[in-house]
Amino acid sequence: GRDSRQRLGQEGMVEILARQLGAGLTGEALLDSTVTEVRALNGGELTDDLAVLLLDRG
């Protein structure tokens, strides 16, 4: 988060993903939107590595 003492955590990521999924986003659009929101919450580029895994039951 903007306050360096706060971390997004698992709950925060779940909330972001739930909101994105509720908006109908899937696949790469879901990933792009989620990473964009996390960067915005961070106040800019992330200072650590980012790994993302997308599983889809199609």
Side-chain angles (χ1 to χ4, degrees):
R2 288 188 177 110
D3 181 346
S4 62
R5 295 170 293 175
Q6 293 181 341
R7 295 207 175 251
L8 186 58
Q10 290 179 352
E11 294 85 14
M13 281 302 300
V14 168
E15 289 175 19
I16 289 172
L17 287 167
R19 188 171 48 257
Q20 304 291 356
L21 288 168
L25 296 175
T26 60
E28 287 188 42
L30 173 65
L31 293 179
D32 290 342
S33 182
T34 301
V35 170
T36 297
E37 186 167 342
V38 169
R39 283 183 178 139
L41 288 171
N42 188 55
E45 284 299 318
L46 304 174
T47 58
D48 204 350
D49 295 335
L50 173 67
V52 179
L53 173 66
L54 175 65
L55 301 175
D56 187 11
R57 295 186 311 178

